Amino acid sequence: MRKPVISALITGALLFCAGDSRAQIRGVAAALTPVVERDAVARGQTVRAALQVALPEGFHVQSNEPRDPTLIPTVLTINPPEGVTVAEIVFPDPVDLRQPGTDQPLAVFEHVFPIGVQLAVARTAAPGELVVPAHLRYQACNDTTCFAPKTADAEWRLRIVPPAAVAAPQHADVFD
């Protein structure tokens, strides 16, 4: 009677460990929130946008320029449609994270951080909605483990209006 109980406990422990390893293989999901500073963009103007990144509590990613070249940087790739160009991408200042056994601290982005983007809309852009897709590649780590790198997708939606149109500001908390 003891053998079936012990076998069940061992099987359960193996399944629990297998579940953990699958989580490590999949990586850690970041929540991405794309925001734009105005509800509309006039043709021929630029607009500030941001990608707000939220990692689970206790996690960080390497900065876009890690001090150690063997570490995986955080990279934002934007694929603008015709009529939109990326004028600038601005990453936040990284935080120094000291790890035991390393000579210099890691340059990381912690838990929640924004990535700023400036988009230029051509004078020839047609009025209406334009979708600007983006891809964030990152590797999330906690204090002891770095998980599999992931690429997460996001998109900004720009409402293109004639040059004389008035656009209302939004997301002042992000852009002030």
Side-chain angles (χ1 to χ4, degrees):
M1 184 121 134
R2 287 186 160 219
K3 284 186 181 183
V5 172
I6 292 173
S7 293
L9 289 173
I10 291 172
T11 302
L14 289 173
L15 288 174
F16 178 76
C17 291
D20 273 358
S21 67
R22 283 193 303 269
Q24 289 182 12
I25 291 170
R26 286 190 296 253
V28 175
L32 305 181
T33 306
V35 295
V36 180
E37 73 174 328
R38 297 188 304 268
D39 67 348
V41 184
R43 295 186 312 234
Q45 292 187 347
T46 60
V47 64
R48 292 184 302 169
L51 185 62
Q52 296 178 297
V53 181
L55 300 166
E57 186 69 42
F59 282 87
H60 64 270
V61 295
Q62 296 301 318
S63 75
N64 56 310
E65 296 178 346
R67 291 185 181 106
D68 181 342
T70 64
L71 298 175
I72 296 172
T74 298
V75 177
L76 179 62
T77 304
I78 301 172
N79 303 102
E82 188 174 324
V84 177
T85 56
V86 178
E88 186 176 26
I89 297 175
V90 179
F91 283 87
D93 291 332
V95 174
D96 284 345
L97 176 66
R98 296 217 174 266
Q99 291 283 8
T102 60
D103 294 337
Q104 60 183 347
L106 301 175
V108 302
F109 302 136
E110 294 183 312
H111 185 47
V112 177
F113 60 94
I115 302 171
V117 177
Q118 188 169 21
L119 302 170
V121 177
R123 292 183 196 278
T124 57
E129 185 175 86
L130 281 178
V131 175
V132 181
H135 314 283
L136 183 70
R137 179 147 171 82
Y138 64 94
Q139 182 179 29
C141 304
N142 60 23
D143 290 342
T144 61
T145 306
C146 284
F147 296 82
K150 286 190 70 115
T151 299
D153 300 326
E155 60 185 32
W156 290 279
R157 295 187 175 274
L158 305 179
R159 187 170 60 91
I160 309 304
V161 296
V166 176
Q170 54 186 14
H171 304 289
D173 59 321
V174 175
F175 296 104
D176 280 347

